Amino acid sequence: MTDPNAIQPSELDQLPDRDPEETAEWQASLDAVAEAAGPHRAAYLMRRTLERAEGTGIALPKLLETDYVNTIPTAAEPHVPGDPEMEARITAWNRWNAAAMVTRGSKHGVGGHIATFASAAWLYETGFNHFFRGKDSGDAAGSGDQLYIQGHASPGIYARAFLDGRLNEQHLDNFRQEAGGNGLPSYPHPRRLPWLWEFPTVSMGLGPLSAIYQARFNRYLTNRGIKDVSASHVWAFLGDGEMDEPESTAALALAAREELDNLTFVINCNLQRLDGPVRANFKIVQELEAQFRGAGWNVVKTLWGSTWDELFQLDTTGALVRRLREVPDAQIQTYQTRDAAYIRESFFGSDPALVEMAKLLSDDKILDCFHFSRGGHEPRKVHAAYKAALDHKGAPTVILAQTVKGHTLGEGFASKNANHQMKKLTVDEFKAMRDLLGLPIRDSDFADGQVPYGHPGAGSPEVRYLQERRASLGGPAPARRTHPLAPLPAPAEKAFTSFDKGSGSQNVATTMAFVRLVKDLVRDKETGRRWVPIVPDEARTFGMESLFPSLGIYSPKGQTYEPVDRDQLMYYKEARNGQILNEGITEAGSMADFIAASTSYATHGEAMIPFYIFYSMFGWQRTADQMWQLGDQLGRGFLVGATAGRTTLTGEGLQHADGHSPVIAATNPASLTYDPAFAYEIAVIVREGLRRMYGEAEPGEDPNVFYYLTVYNEPLPQPARPSGPGIDEGIVKGLYRFNTAESAGLSTTANAPRIQLLGSGTAIHWTLEAQRLLAEEWGVAADVWSATSWSELRRDAMDADAALLRGEERVPFVRQALQGAEGPVLAVSDYMRQVPDQIAQWVEQDWSSLGADGFGLSDTREAARRHFGVDAPSIVVAALAQLARRGEVKAAAVKEAREKYGL
């Protein structure tokens, strides 16, 4: 059995000690202090020594955790400019109106959250009064700071916009009532309130991740010479419970590695999540401190208010600090709701030194400390933390601000486990809140039991002060501004027409065709530099390595090493002004990149054209929540699901075989989903996307969309573009006739049975082979159609249905396209049958479909297609079965075909 008192091996044992005697003297001194003054005094001296070493530049590993006290002592807090009393009155009005808005809305059953803003009010108000720069800020013109507001605190932001005149009472009364077109969204939502909100921050966890990549993208824009946004600062307001989301901490190391000192996280540590304590038996602040310090962040803890200063001065033995570190969060929460006698016994009664300290404290002092006095509730302490964050260089900063959830809302709210779900205050509770905040609201103002909104008047000193402070910081915030940008010039037509002649005898996968198109587009003199290629460590898989030397991979440090492949033509080149964002193995980080780039037209007034290429299986499946965030934020760009389809990725199997991404994509209203079969189709779709998102949008056309293209890794001959009218329109709208049996040179009789074969993506090649087999072996004439977008056909048809209900005559495009086409329709894709079946109800002909339903599997393409029943012989059998049901071929032909092809 190991002796616990034995000296344990140390990593230092392997290093030479040039003076063991001196080392032993230092160790003996530490032992002597611990024996004479106690281990806590020894620990204090060691901390002081480590601080001294750090201050003199001696390289030592940092402690991951510090005492449960404020990082910035009261004596070191800088002077706060402005008028503190005026700011307190402004904050009081905002607290009141935030609570009133939610309470008034509760009669409609729409809900709302009160307690979060109540705890965080000073975290926001201090920033709005002194730190957050608006769009017209002189040193950050057109950009300002980027504010990621905690979603549940939105009522407080609306209340401030009401005070400064940007919202009125009618707006507040329409909180969470948007159907009439004049409402306020429940949470920050640019698509619903595009003049106010810049960043959607619910779902939780996506805000912190996006904030990191937004700060990183700001550096990218600056280093590439697109726009100098070095003066912009990114502020992300988060909840301590939200930090449990894996996305919240997924990119902490990147932020530290790239020294993003233009980024500050403000975590509201009210110790409560939605149902109870965040860390009931532990301490979330200490946990977060260790996590962020370990990742390389600067950590500022703002835990206790100034009332605690006297207690810390009395703590000559360290007993108070020890007790604060050992009391779990749930007990701290309990202290906030119990009387002084309970606190004396439970908190102070555990240590003789604390018992003596408590004798010097009045009950009022104890209650003030444990019920109210938190660092996050004192503007002076919040101001000191914010200034420290801006002054710190070389690393991002996280501020851990301790608050009380439900602060100022009364005993019925403060620190209650259920306060997240509590939607209203009673009239008596409002009157108590009024008295606490000192607001001039009369009892008679509560007409018929309805809580009134409060406003000091448009010309009041409070409103003038608020507006003057915002004017000095560059205008209102938060604010989203879509700058009047000139449309980007269309790239040279040559880039798009280079595929029209086909590839001849050369086999080209559509993934390669897309990359080749992008290579031409990034060379465009007008718009080439605005492309932002994004890839999650699979560039070579997608044939993008040829872009490395020409565009460079973005790195804020450039290339500090000689790459191993420097003597090769396509060597790995990193550059400070590199254009490619090669993110490593992180789809979530790549999507956050994409969101920042895709909304740069609004955030910074600079239109960027991101394309993010990824394994289609790992895009929507893993990060569909971020695709919704992208749509919410009105992002524009191209998502490219490469190595797409359930049967094209030979040998990879179930976890790589994408048979469903178009289904997920079709659920997103902002996503225009395409499954192009040929290179020239990709060119038409990308050209149309550039026009719609960045060029001259047509009347009534929403440019705030993004395109999702599935492309394949299956090298096949690329055909020439068919001649004839309507090809481009059909490609964009989702369907056109690629050929007929006759134009394909297939010989059938004049009265041969006819069928329409609709194929998308790589499936069209099996469809073309089935067309040949049907003609040559079964005497059936088949026309082949390329269905470039099943979901766009469906949307058009749904719009037509809605128009009919309004009394307008409109025929869906799919019906127009197939009008007069003889015979039944058989649709085929490399995805679930659900994908083509989207349009079935609008097709007048008899409908049937084939698809790759079920789990993927590892095998050759041919074997996988036979397994799923989508290869050419399977299409032939399905076509014959359709025709047999109509009596156009003999029923025996179906059985004969199955036996012939071994199905």
Side-chain angles (χ1 to χ4, degrees):
M1 186 173 180
T2 303
D3 180 2
N5 297 316
I7 297 176
Q8 299 299 313
S10 165
E11 67 268 21
L12 297 177
D13 292 344
Q14 62 193 308
L15 304 177
D17 186 346
R18 69 177 188 180
D19 194 339
E21 185 176 346
E22 181 185 37
T23 302
E25 290 173 357
W26 276 79
Q27 292 173 331
S29 297
L30 181 63
D31 292 342
V33 171
E35 184 176 351
H40 302 295
R41 177 61 181 171
Y44 178 84
L45 291 177
M46 288 300 299
R47 287 281 306 282
R48 281 296 192 188
T49 303
L50 288 172
E51 286 180 355
R52 181 74 172 180
E54 184 176 350
T56 56
I58 297 174
L60 284 173
K62 292 185 178 181
L63 294 176
L64 292 184
E65 194 178 316
T66 60
D67 286 327
Y68 203 67
V69 298
N70 295 345
T71 302
I72 304 171
T74 299
E77 293 167 1
H79 168 71
V80 180
D83 186 337
E85 292 184 4
M86 184 69 72
E87 292 175 16
R89 292 204 296 274
I90 291 170
T91 303
W93 285 116
N94 291 338
R95 286 183 181 279
W96 177 272
N97 288 321
M101 175 176 57
V102 176
T103 297
R104 287 166 68 112
S106 67
K107 68 180 181 180
H108 302 292
V110 295
H113 300 287
I114 303 176
T116 294
F117 178 72
S119 68
W122 277 116
L123 302 181
Y124 291 105
E125 292 298 319
T126 302
F128 286 130
N129 288 327
H130 300 285
F131 292 95
F132 304 156
R133 283 167 291 194
K135 295 291 186 184
D136 297 320
S137 172
D139 55 357
S143 296
D145 288 349
Q146 287 79 59
L147 307 180
Y148 288 78
I149 305 296
Q150 188 181 3
H152 296 115
S154 63
I157 310 306
Y158 291 139
R160 193 169 221 274
F162 170 64
L163 204 64
D164 72 14
R166 292 193 290 166
L167 294 175
N168 57 37
E169 288 193 12
Q170 182 183 5
H171 289 123
L172 300 192
D173 271 343
N174 284 331
F175 176 59
R176 292 192 169 202
Q177 298 175 69
E178 301 176 80
N182 196 33
L184 301 180
S186 52
Y187 304 120
H189 208 305
R191 188 169 286 276
R192 290 299 185 209
L193 204 62
W195 60 268
L196 180 70
W197 299 119
E198 282 196 285
F199 308 107
T201 49
V202 177
S203 301
M204 287 187 286
L206 299 189
L209 178 68
S210 289
I212 290 174
Y213 281 89
Q214 181 66 56
R216 195 282 197 88
F217 185 74
N218 290 356
R219 290 280 173 85
Y220 173 88
L221 282 182
T222 300
N223 290 338
R224 286 198 54 216
I226 301 292
K227 181 181 181 181
D228 185 356
V229 293
S230 55
S232 290
H233 199 84
V234 177
W235 300 83
F237 289 84
L238 317 168
D240 47 0
E242 181 178 8
M243 300 312 294
D244 283 347
E245 292 283 5
E247 296 90 348
S248 295
T249 55
L252 298 186
L254 177 141
R257 184 171 65 245
E258 299 203 0
E259 301 177 354
L260 297 181
D261 50 26
N262 61 339
L263 170 67
T264 297
F265 275 15
V266 181
I267 302 181
N268 179 17
C269 297
N270 57 34
L271 313 185
Q272 290 182 246
R273 52 188 177 204
L274 276 58
D275 289 329
V278 179
R279 292 290 184 272
N281 295 297
F282 307 94
K283 302 191 79 63
I284 186 60
V285 168
Q286 301 300 90
E287 178 182 321
L288 291 174
E289 178 184 28
Q291 191 170 17
F292 278 86
R293 282 184 181 274
W297 286 53
N298 175 47
V299 178
V300 177
K301 293 199 290 191
T302 303
L303 306 181
W304 306 111
S306 55
T307 307
W308 283 83
D309 289 348
E310 179 184 341
L311 275 68
F312 289 124
Q313 288 300 311
L314 294 172
D315 187 27
T316 57
T317 65
L320 176 62
V321 172
R322 292 196 300 274
R323 182 66 176 142
L324 288 174
R325 287 197 63 178
E326 69 187 22
V327 174
D329 284 351
Q331 189 63 41
I332 292 287
Q333 181 186 354
T334 298
Y335 291 147
Q336 291 161 359
T337 65
R338 302 299 290 271
D339 59 23
Y342 177 88
I343 298 172
R344 285 182 185 277
E345 179 181 353
S346 174
F347 182 85
F348 293 98
S350 63
D351 187 296
L354 292 180
V355 171
E356 294 303 312
M357 179 188 293
K359 292 178 181 178
L360 303 176
L361 304 175
S362 68
D363 284 356
D364 286 345
K365 183 77 169 182
I366 289 175
L367 291 178
D368 192 12
C369 284
F370 283 87
H371 284 195
F372 307 111
S373 187
R374 299 292 182 273
H377 296 324
E378 295 193 12
R380 180 184 175 96
K381 294 191 179 298
V382 175
H383 183 280
Y386 287 5
K387 188 174 187 306
L390 293 181
D391 289 345
H392 188 84
K393 302 303 177 186
T397 294
V398 59
I399 295 168
L400 304 175
Q402 187 165 249
T403 66
V404 175
K405 192 168 186 178
H407 183 60
T408 74
L409 297 180
E411 294 182 358
F413 261 84
S415 292
K416 301 298 184 183
N417 279 337
N419 60 21
H420 187 80
Q421 304 301 332
M422 297 163 69
K423 313 299 183 188
K424 59 184 177 180
L425 278 71
T426 66
V427 169
D428 288 342
E429 287 172 330
F430 266 110
K431 290 178 179 178
M433 180 181 176
R434 170 202 62 189
D435 296 341
L436 176 66
L437 298 176
L439 294 173
I441 297 174
R442 300 165 299 185
D443 285 354
S444 59
D445 292 333
F446 290 83
D448 299 322
Q450 175 84 300
V451 57
Y453 293 121
H455 200 294
S460 65
E462 291 93 334
V463 172
R464 289 201 308 271
Y465 181 90
L466 182 155
Q467 292 174 341
E468 287 168 1
R469 291 305 307 150
R470 288 312 314 159
S472 69
L473 288 165
R480 183 180 183 274
R481 184 181 301 171
T482 302
H483 304 259
L485 299 177
L488 293 183
E493 189 68 14
K494 181 180 179 182
F496 301 107
T497 59
S498 61
F499 298 106
D500 286 357
K501 294 182 180 179
S503 64
S505 60
Q506 182 183 7
N507 289 336
V508 178
T510 51
T511 298
M512 298 301 106
F514 179 85
V515 172
R516 188 177 301 176
L517 174 63
V518 169
K519 286 174 64 177
D520 290 339
L521 293 175
V522 296
R523 295 191 187 104
D524 185 82
K525 292 182 180 179
E526 297 289 337
T527 60
R529 72 191 189 111
R530 297 192 176 274
W531 284 85
V532 183
I534 303 167
V535 61
D537 199 37
E538 288 281 2
R540 297 181 193 278
T541 301
F542 308 137
M544 288 176 60
E545 67 270 24
S546 60
L547 299 177
F548 289 171
S550 57
L551 301 184
I553 299 166
Y554 173 74
S555 169
K557 292 186 177 298
Q559 193 154 37
T560 61
Y561 60 92
E562 182 178 355
V564 67
D565 54 359
R566 182 62 182 87
D567 57 340
Q568 298 177 15
L569 181 63
M570 292 182 286
Y571 70 97
Y572 196 84
K573 177 186 175 183
E574 295 189 80
R576 195 166 183 266
N577 64 345
Q579 193 164 349
I580 301 170
L581 292 172
N582 192 347
E583 285 305 349
I585 305 174
T586 167
E587 286 84 3
S590 299
M591 267 307 302
D593 266 337
F594 187 91
I595 292 169
S598 70
T599 54
S600 180
Y601 72 92
T603 308
H604 295 301
E606 294 287 345
M608 304 299 286
I609 312 171
F611 82 86
Y612 164 34
I613 188 168
F614 51 88
Y615 262 95
S616 66
M617 182 73 169
F618 306 137
W620 286 89
Q621 176 169 291
R622 284 194 172 186
T623 57
D625 199 8
Q626 287 178 284
M627 275 75 162
W628 279 97
Q629 181 189 12
L630 167 65
D632 293 346
Q633 202 166 314
L634 308 177
R636 307 170 184 176
F638 297 95
L639 298 176
V640 183
T643 60
R646 181 145 281 165
T647 69
T648 65
L649 202 54
T650 54
E652 291 288 355
L654 186 151
Q655 291 194 355
H656 286 65
D658 172 26
H660 52 279
S661 71
V663 178
I664 306 175
T667 65
N668 192 309
S671 173
L672 277 62
T673 303
Y674 286 88
D675 187 24
F678 305 123
Y680 66 81
E681 293 177 353
I682 293 173
V684 171
I685 294 165
V686 171
R687 180 175 59 192
E688 170 65 8
L690 291 173
R691 180 203 64 78
R692 176 168 178 174
M693 295 184 291
Y694 301 97
E696 296 283 358
E698 296 176 358
E701 192 175 48
D702 185 6
N704 299 315
V705 296
F706 59 92
Y707 283 67
Y708 175 53
L709 282 71
T710 49
V711 293
Y712 300 84
N713 72 324
E714 188 169 8
L716 292 164
Q718 293 296 322
R721 173 195 175 96
S723 59
I727 298 297
D728 281 8
E729 180 188 25
I731 292 172
V732 171
K733 290 189 173 182
L735 183 68
Y736 70 97
R737 182 153 43 196
F738 176 72
N739 70 14
T740 64
E742 292 75 18
S743 65
L746 299 173
S747 177
T748 57
T749 61
N751 60 349
R754 186 171 290 271
I755 189 170
Q756 308 299 316
L757 302 179
L758 278 57
S760 69
T762 196
I764 205 164
H765 296 282
W766 331 322
T767 306
L768 288 168
E769 174 62 13
Q771 178 191 42
R772 183 188 65 80
L773 293 174
L774 283 167
E776 294 180 355
E777 300 183 4
W778 304 98
V780 173
D783 300 339
V784 173
W785 300 69
S786 178
T788 54
S789 179
W790 307 101
S791 59
E792 285 305 293
L793 291 172
R794 177 179 176 81
R795 284 180 183 168
D796 172 79
M798 292 173 68
D799 288 344
D801 285 354
L804 286 172
L805 293 177
R806 295 192 300 267
E808 303 171 19
E809 288 296 327
R810 185 173 159 198
V811 179
F813 178 79
V814 63
R815 190 168 294 169
Q816 295 177 43
L818 291 171
Q819 187 174 12
E822 299 177 29
V825 169
L826 174 60
V828 188
S829 84
D830 202 20
Y831 299 95
M832 305 165 64
R833 288 179 60 182
Q834 184 177 341
V835 174
D837 283 349
Q838 293 179 81
I839 66 170
Q841 71 186 82
W842 292 281
V843 174
E844 294 180 314
Q845 293 86 344
D846 290 343
W847 173 271
S848 184
S849 64
L850 295 175
D853 285 80
F855 288 112
L857 75 167
S858 304
D859 214 309
T860 63
R861 294 186 179 107
E862 294 76 14
R865 285 163 192 166
R866 176 57 59 92
H867 170 81
F868 287 111
V870 293
D871 60 351
S874 298
I875 296 172
V876 170
V877 171
L880 292 174
Q882 267 189 290
L883 293 169
R885 285 194 294 271
R886 295 163 57 94
E888 296 179 20
V889 300
K890 294 179 179 180
V894 181
K895 179 181 180 183
E896 183 182 347
R898 283 201 305 267
E899 294 174 350
K900 178 181 178 70
Y901 301 127
L903 296 177

